[in-house]
Amino acid sequence: MSTGPYNYSYIFKYIIIGDMGVGKSCLLHQFTEKKFMADCPHTIGVEFGTRIIEVSGQKVKLQIWDTAGQERFRAVTRSYYRGAAGALMVYDITRRSTYNHLSSWLTDTRNLTNSSTVIFLIGNKCDLEGQRDVTYEEASKFAEENGLLFVEASAKTGDNVEEAFLETAKKIYQSIQDGRLDLNAAESGVQHKPSQPGRNNLSNDQQTNRDNCAC
Amino acid sequence: MTLPLSGRIFIANDNICLIFKRSYKYIMYATKQPSLRINQADLQCKEGCGFYGNADWDGYCSKCYRNHMEQARRKKLKQAANAQSGHQGESSKSQVSGFTKFEEKKRQQTDKKTKYFKSLPVFKKTSSAKDIGKPEKYAGLRQSNDPDADKLKTEFLSKYKYLGDEIRRDFLRFSDSFIRQILEDTNVKPVDELAEIAQKRYNVYNTRINSYHLYQQVSAEVRAELEDFLEKYTMTALYTSLFCPSSTNDEDKDLSIQDRIRKLTWVNAHHLDCCISETSLEVRDLVYTAINDLLGMDSVKAPQEKLQCVVKCCRSVVEVLQHCQGGPVSADEFLPALIFVVLKANPARLKSNILYVTRFCKESRLMQGEAGYYFTNLCCAVSFIENLTAESLNMPEQEFQSYMSGEMTTVSAWDSALVACEGMHQLCEHLSLLNNLNERNISIQEEKNKLMEEMNALKEDIKRKVSSVLESTPLVIKPRKSISVTDEKPSGGSLLSNIAIATHNSENIDKTKLTLDLTPCIKFPCIIEDNIEEDNVLKPSLSADLLSPFEQSFEGTTPDDNSILGLSKVNYDIDLSDLSAENSMAEALTPEKRFSPTPSYTPDPFSPVGTTCTITQQPLIPSSVPLQMTVQKEPQQIKDDFVAPFLEDLTRETAEETLLDKIEATPTINLPPPINPIKTEYSGFSKQGWKIPSIPCNTGDYSSLSSQPGTSKQDE
């Protein structure tokens, strides 16, 4: 089989949420513009907001949607959340307010995505240690209390950016394996798989499952 | 430090309440609490199933909504069936129609479109027993197949020729059955169900293409292409029935959003905190491009084509932002910019397009990829516009209201740029128009001047020519007048009278009458003297000659006796006249002109000029005719005196029979006999000339002699 843009088994849709100016788009760019994945020969990563990664030997295409963080758009951006498998919740460690708003972001995310959606908390701009306004500890505690994954990262230096995305993917993949995540549910289901018959068993199985269900 | 205030905010936000105690120093950064929150209760399904509802589904979740609709439909069907089969009372029937009436009305509209003219019962029947209705359905299928779909079909057939007939046939069979199914259900099922059917069909084909052995050899890319093509083909074919279907209120939504956007024209980039520099020319061009792309969405049919328009629009927006700020564009900036573009574009049937794409585009396409992302953004932008409040623009309610009511108006940079641009544009256009007009005016002026010059030149030329003609031909014009008015008649009269006298001579004509006629005869030469130089030379002699013989003849008492004398005299006289005639010939000035007046001068009894001229020129036959004509009009006495007797006498005269024959045969018939013979040059006459001149000359002299002594003397 050729290694074209269709050479992946899963598509995970991420959304990046958080206040305006916390560095959402920078994180996204940091992640997608990097083409260092040695085992992924295709560099069609030019494709809008996507990158193909490998999770447990499975090629996964990450499709990341940046969202507008302004307060005024909150009410209307719910369609962003539709079908998101992962949500990266970002705040700025140098701006307290962005941290303070996290709870409302969390509420929205919980309300608008399904229960199996993986939410990852990212404290961005950790390179600006001197201006730190939110301690690692309190953020970590907040994440713990709400069952979130948490990491402090820097879009500028690239620290932990990769990890955040990959960890999320792993978590999602885990829940697929566990059966917690229903691949067949198109609406609330967070995952789509392009056809790749004979490529791997899992995808074929899923395919047939879905067909049975749909008809 | 505004501790109490911040504290209050945190309390409201119980999740972060604990932080309140821990870090006071951060409180200063706390801003106001998010106010545009989504209420959880609002999101829940009305049924209370725990899932989230949707406004489009009447607040139900998708599942509950479907159940709800199913129930309603079943109820309706049942009632309709009851009403039909059971022949129930009117009351129950009307109950049914309460709901169905509206539906029916809508369907009728659809019927018109799809040319299905069926009553409601038939409708129900066909949906239950499809076999009956099938032929008609096919007819409908054919009709709703629009040319675009046909084009796509041929495109498909040629493009995928390499796939072989089998696959292509399979594809077409599948797509046609797809189209047929949708068409069958168009008028029966709500659009959401149709959308579901379509989505199912997409999935079925996806399965088919991935599992069916036929497609085993087809590469993944081509498979994806085929799937896309299926969507494109079927949706293009079904566009008229599925876009903005009559069973929905999509159209109302379109109108309301359009109205809304129109009311929001005052919103500018600044209100939206978006960094579009409205005055920059390049940015404006890009915004224009974006607007055009967005407007183009309405003109394409397939969902993916519409999405492509959205993508193009959004890319332009991204470009705008890159232009304005540089660096990667984040959604924080993108969405406001897109809202701005939508506000400025106010696309036609915006809501219909969005709903159509949402319903009939492959779901996976909307959930991922660039198209899905941008489309989602567009949906967000539209819903932001729909729910736009003072708060969402960060402005006081009062200000917002005054803007909305039109009390207050701002001149946004965009508008003013547009206005200025348009003003400049118009200015330029007008300037060029003015220049154009000016040029044309100048050219017209030049033309005018040229024309004037030409006219003047022509005028001068004509003047010159006329004057030269006048100079060269003074003789012709002026004497004519004078002659015609006063002298011609008498002069002619004189000559003719001479003839007449000559002819009558033998018959002893009354002298008194002759005298009357001949009086002007003397005047004639005098007037010629005044005007004609050439004749001036002749004048004295002529007049003298004329007078002299007259006098001489006058002296002679009896005409008969004087005939010999008169002859000699006349000979002399005619020599002179002959000379004058030759002179006039030399002038080459249209002798006819001289004669031409003769017939016109009807009052002239004898057209004498003609006769005089005929002496010099070639004699003219017609002159005789005018002679007669004019003569008839003349007083009786003249006629008697002159013409009639003259002719009669001519015929009568036996002695001059030969002459008469000659006269009649030749054009010289009119020539007064006295003059002709003197022309020695004319051989024809000269031979017989001896006899001819003798007669008239004698008579002329005689008559003149008899009548004119007084007048001739007066002239002298």
Side-chain angles (χ1 to χ4, degrees):
Chain A
M1 274 286 176
S2 63
T3 57
Y6 301 92
N7 187 19
Y8 49 82
S9 313
Y10 294 94
I11 299 173
F12 293 169
K13 181 183 157 184
Y14 286 10
I15 55 166
I16 306 183
I17 53 175
D19 273 12
M20 189 184 174
V22 293
K24 298 184 295 289
S25 48
C26 292
L27 281 170
L28 172 60
H29 274 268
Q30 175 67 30
F31 180 68
T32 54
E33 300 297 305
K34 226 185 221 175
K35 291 141 190 164
F36 69 92
M37 288 287 277
D39 53 341
C40 184
H42 89 89
T43 47
I44 312 172
V46 198
E47 197 186 330
F48 178 81
T50 62
R51 202 181 119 183
I52 292 180
I53 56 164
E54 206 171 276
V55 181
S56 310
Q58 295 288 327
K59 289 260 164 55
V60 176
K61 180 166 151 182
L62 295 186
Q63 164 88 62
I64 305 136
W65 283 14
D66 193 7
T67 64
Q70 286 97 320
E71 191 60 44
R72 56 166 84 176
F73 298 132
R74 280 286 192 90
V76 298
T77 49
R78 63 167 76 173
S79 43
Y80 282 121
Y81 294 84
R82 194 163 161 250
L88 304 181
M89 207 159 68
V90 187
Y91 71 95
D92 183 354
I93 65 160
T94 65
R95 278 161 63 208
R96 185 84 202 167
S97 63
T98 63
Y99 178 77
N100 292 342
H101 288 157
L102 283 178
S103 63
S104 66
W105 283 114
L106 188 63
T107 316
D108 280 359
T109 312
R110 291 244 195 267
N111 282 346
L112 294 164
T113 61
N114 66 20
S115 52
S116 56
T117 301
V118 176
I119 303 173
F120 204 110
L121 182 65
I122 299 175
N124 196 19
K125 306 189 185 178
C126 70
D127 55 310
L128 303 170
E129 190 58 45
Q131 298 168 40
R132 178 182 285 274
D133 208 0
V134 180
T135 62
Y136 182 84
E137 290 74 29
E138 57 177 325
S140 155
K141 183 146 192 245
F142 173 76
E144 207 178 302
E145 283 168 2
N146 292 284
L148 312 171
L149 299 170
F150 172 64
V151 74
E152 278 193 348
S154 166
K156 196 177 178 185
T157 62
D159 283 351
N160 284 336
V161 174
E162 200 78 19
E163 286 77 359
F165 284 88
L166 287 178
E167 279 301 311
T168 314
K170 271 181 200 161
K171 192 101 186 282
I172 295 166
Y173 188 69
Q174 197 63 47
S175 50
I176 294 169
Q177 301 296 77
D178 296 350
R180 271 180 290 143
L181 208 132
D182 183 14
L183 285 170
N184 302 320
E187 176 63 32
S188 54
V190 290
Q191 207 155 21
H192 288 268
K193 208 175 328 44
S195 50
Q196 200 70 313
R199 178 67 183 162
N200 60 67
N201 292 327
L202 182 66
S203 100
N204 265 353
D205 291 342
Q206 298 302 337
Q207 205 71 58
T208 47
N209 277 344
R210 190 208 283 175
D211 294 343
N212 291 339
C213 223
C215 304
Chain B
M1 285 283 168
T2 54
L3 186 109
L5 179 70
S6 327
R8 229 182 294 145
I9 290 163
F10 277 133
I11 289 159
N13 228 337
D14 48 357
N15 268 334
I16 316 174
C17 215
L18 64 158
I19 301 159
F20 175 65
K21 294 160 198 161
R22 250 195 266 166
S23 43
Y24 292 101
K25 62 169 180 172
Y26 301 125
I27 290 170
M28 59 186 288
Y29 296 105
T31 58
K32 64 170 183 172
Q33 197 207 347
S35 45
L36 294 164
R37 294 299 313 282
I38 304 155
N39 238 328
Q40 182 143 3
D42 296 342
L43 298 167
Q44 296 283 358
C45 173
K46 268 205 301 201
E47 205 85 327
C49 63
F51 283 97
Y52 296 105
N54 191 315
D56 288 340
W57 296 327
D58 300 336
Y60 292 106
C61 72
S62 60
K63 212 158 192 173
C64 293
Y65 177 71
R66 209 175 307 151
N67 288 338
H68 178 74
M69 289 305 287
E70 189 67 35
Q71 273 174 13
R73 194 162 52 245
R74 225 172 278 151
K75 208 169 156 190
K76 187 182 78 190
L77 272 170
K78 204 174 161 190
Q79 280 175 335
N82 283 343
Q84 212 188 330
S85 59
H87 294 288
Q88 287 174 351
E90 288 299 309
S91 56
S92 66
K93 210 166 188 180
S94 66
Q95 203 180 356
V96 178
S97 64
F99 178 70
T100 52
K101 225 178 201 170
F102 178 67
E103 288 270 273
E104 200 173 1
K105 197 178 163 191
K106 292 224 158 177
R107 271 192 211 111
Q108 278 167 352
Q109 289 175 342
T110 323
D111 287 351
K112 263 181 215 162
K113 229 191 271 175
T114 51
K115 316 270 189 213
Y116 284 61
F117 290 101
K118 284 189 261 178
S119 59
L120 185 65
V122 180
F123 229 79
K124 299 294 177 195
K125 219 186 263 173
T126 49
S127 63
S128 56
K130 278 173 186 168
D131 292 346
I132 302 164
K134 247 181 185 172
E136 284 173 45
K137 300 289 180 189
Y138 280 121
L141 171 69
R142 192 125 317 144
Q143 268 171 350
S144 65
N145 243 347
D146 68 4
D148 284 346
D150 291 339
K151 224 182 277 171
L152 280 175
K153 199 171 180 174
T154 48
E155 184 196 323
F156 167 79
L157 289 174
S158 60
K159 190 179 176 187
Y160 296 104
K161 210 167 189 174
Y162 64 90
L163 289 175
D165 289 342
E166 286 275 297
I167 289 177
R168 284 189 293 169
R169 211 174 300 140
D170 185 68
F171 174 88
L172 288 178
R173 212 182 302 135
F174 188 87
S175 56
D176 283 347
S177 81
F178 181 0
I179 293 168
R180 210 176 308 130
Q181 189 192 351
I182 296 279
L183 274 181
E184 275 170 16
D185 295 342
T186 312
N187 301 305
V188 190
K189 293 180 179 172
V191 72
D192 288 320
E193 266 185 52
L194 294 177
E196 235 169 81
I197 292 169
Q199 297 296 343
K200 260 185 204 168
R201 282 282 185 164
Y202 293 145
N203 286 333
V204 167
Y205 191 69
N206 175 275
T207 316
R208 185 183 184 83
I209 211 169
N210 287 320
S211 52
Y212 195 29
H213 64 88
L214 199 66
Y215 295 94
Q216 206 75 57
Q217 302 306 315
V218 181
S219 70
E221 284 89 346
V222 176
R223 281 181 204 175
E225 269 179 41
L226 282 175
E227 281 188 65
D228 284 356
F229 208 90
L230 175 80
E231 189 185 340
K232 197 174 175 182
Y233 173 58
T234 51
M235 283 307 131
T236 307
L238 292 167
Y239 188 70
T240 44
S241 354
L242 296 184
F243 183 81
C244 191
S246 50
S247 59
T248 62
N249 59 345
D250 291 0
E251 206 174 338
D252 301 334
K253 289 179 189 166
D254 286 338
L255 293 177
S256 71
I257 185 90
Q258 201 151 26
D259 211 47
R260 175 93 181 154
I261 291 175
R262 223 173 275 145
K263 276 185 191 163
L264 290 169
T265 42
W266 51 271
V267 176
N268 58 27
H270 191 70
H271 289 128
L272 296 166
D273 285 331
C274 107
C275 60
I276 291 178
S277 58
E278 293 168 293
T279 43
S280 159
L281 199 72
E282 287 170 65
V283 169
R284 214 183 309 132
D285 279 350
L286 279 169
V287 173
Y288 270 135
T289 319
I291 286 173
N292 275 331
D293 289 332
L294 192 61
L295 293 176
M297 185 166 73
D298 192 47
S299 57
V300 289
K301 286 180 175 175
Q304 61 251 68
E305 289 173 322
K306 287 186 189 289
L307 280 182
Q308 206 50 46
C309 289
V310 176
V311 169
K312 267 200 269 176
C313 163
C314 290
R315 279 183 185 158
S316 301
V317 173
V318 168
E319 228 177 299
V320 168
L321 293 173
Q322 276 170 346
H323 218 93
C324 293
Q325 58 174 18
V329 176
S330 84
D332 294 338
E333 293 116 29
F334 176 77
L335 189 58
L338 184 63
I339 290 168
F340 177 74
V341 167
V342 173
L343 278 176
K344 295 305 161 197
N346 197 0
R349 303 197 286 183
L350 179 61
K351 203 76 187 169
S352 283
N353 276 300
I354 286 176
L355 286 169
Y356 170 74
V357 172
T358 316
R359 284 167 190 153
F360 295 104
C361 189
K362 217 189 289 177
E363 269 186 344
S364 60
R365 204 193 298 280
L366 291 182
M367 297 249 247
Q368 60 181 329
E370 196 177 9
Y373 177 69
Y374 284 142
F375 183 73
T376 306
N377 269 300
L378 180 65
C379 292
C380 291
V382 170
S383 97
F384 178 80
I385 290 168
E386 282 174 323
N387 302 307
L388 198 129
T389 59
E391 211 174 345
S392 51
L393 290 178
N394 287 337
M395 68 165 53
E397 179 68 27
Q398 213 171 356
E399 197 185 339
F400 180 79
Q401 285 304 331
S402 62
Y403 274 129
M404 285 302 273
S405 60
E407 279 173 36
M408 232 156 89
T409 48
T410 50
V411 182
S412 69
W414 174 258
D415 288 336
S416 56
L418 276 181
V419 169
C421 183
E422 196 167 321
M424 286 300 288
H425 188 70
Q426 279 191 340
L427 200 68
C428 287
E429 253 179 21
H430 289 167
L431 274 177
S432 66
L433 192 70
L434 276 176
N435 281 337
N436 189 15
L437 282 176
N438 204 18
E439 275 171 28
R440 282 165 64 180
N441 191 27
I442 287 168
S443 74
I444 285 170
Q445 285 286 348
E446 278 170 6
E447 292 276 322
K448 192 194 105 187
N449 288 338
K450 226 163 79 184
L451 193 68
M452 285 281 278
E453 277 167 27
E454 270 174 30
M455 286 294 287
N456 284 335
L458 188 70
K459 212 165 142 190
E460 287 299 311
D461 197 42
I462 289 171
K463 249 185 197 170
R464 198 159 36 78
K465 272 183 186 169
V466 167
S467 63
S468 74
V469 167
L470 282 175
E471 275 169 27
S472 58
T473 63
L475 170 72
V476 189
I477 300 163
K478 285 191 175 173
R480 185 93 340 120
K481 281 176 187 169
S482 52
I483 289 166
S484 67
V485 176
T486 56
D487 303 324
E488 274 185 353
K489 168 179 154 186
S491 71
S494 70
L495 286 169
L496 287 167
S497 61
N498 285 344
I499 300 162
I501 291 159
T503 50
H504 285 269
N505 202 6
S506 58
E507 292 184 352
N508 295 323
I509 301 158
D510 259 4
K511 282 178 184 176
T512 51
K513 281 177 186 176
L514 285 169
T515 49
L516 280 170
D517 291 334
L518 289 168
T519 37
C521 183
I522 295 140
K523 280 178 191 171
F524 162 64
C526 304
I527 290 149
I528 288 173
E529 283 174 42
D530 301 335
N531 300 314
I532 306 160
E533 286 180 343
E534 294 104 48
D535 288 345
N536 281 342
V537 187
L538 303 169
K539 176 207 78 178
S541 62
L542 180 66
S543 59
D545 295 337
L546 280 168
L547 290 169
S548 59
F550 283 17
E551 285 173 3
Q552 284 172 356
S553 63
F554 186 67
E555 283 164 13
T557 50
T558 55
D560 294 327
D561 296 334
N562 284 331
S563 64
I564 302 154
L565 178 79
L567 177 65
S568 64
K569 294 291 173 188
V570 169
N571 260 336
Y572 172 65
D573 187 51
I574 287 161
D575 272 331
L576 291 166
S577 68
D578 198 34
L579 277 168
S580 74
E582 277 186 284
N583 284 334
S584 64
M585 280 279 274
E587 284 171 36
L589 274 167
T590 60
E592 289 86 1
K593 269 186 182 173
R594 297 181 183 182
F595 313 139
S596 60
T598 49
S600 65
Y601 294 130
T602 44
D604 292 359
F606 314 102
S607 64
V609 184
T611 51
T612 50
C613 290
T614 46
I615 298 162
T616 59
Q617 306 299 327
Q618 286 300 319
L620 290 173
I621 302 170
S623 60
S624 69
V625 178
L627 265 176
Q628 283 180 324
M629 297 283 281
T630 48
V631 165
Q632 283 171 351
K633 287 173 188 173
E634 281 304 301
Q636 198 62 33
Q637 54 173 62
I638 295 170
K639 190 183 169 185
D640 292 337
D641 294 345
F642 174 53
V643 186
F646 165 65
L647 289 171
E648 281 168 35
D649 294 345
L650 279 174
T651 49
R652 270 183 231 160
E653 271 194 83
T654 48
E656 295 168 10
E657 268 183 57
T658 49
L659 173 68
L660 284 169
D661 291 338
K662 279 274 178 200
I663 288 162
E664 281 186 12
T666 55
T668 52
I669 182 167
N670 299 321
L671 287 171
I675 300 158
N676 269 331
I678 302 138
K679 283 188 177 181
T680 47
E681 290 89 2
Y682 297 107
S683 59
F685 291 102
S686 62
K687 284 177 184 175
Q688 295 179 342
W690 298 104
K691 280 184 182 176
I692 302 163
S694 64
I695 303 162
C697 286
N698 280 333
T699 53
D701 287 338
Y702 177 76
S703 65
S704 64
L705 283 169
S706 63
S707 62
Q708 289 284 61
T711 51
S712 63
K713 276 173 184 174
Q714 280 174 359
D715 282 330
E716 276 186 277

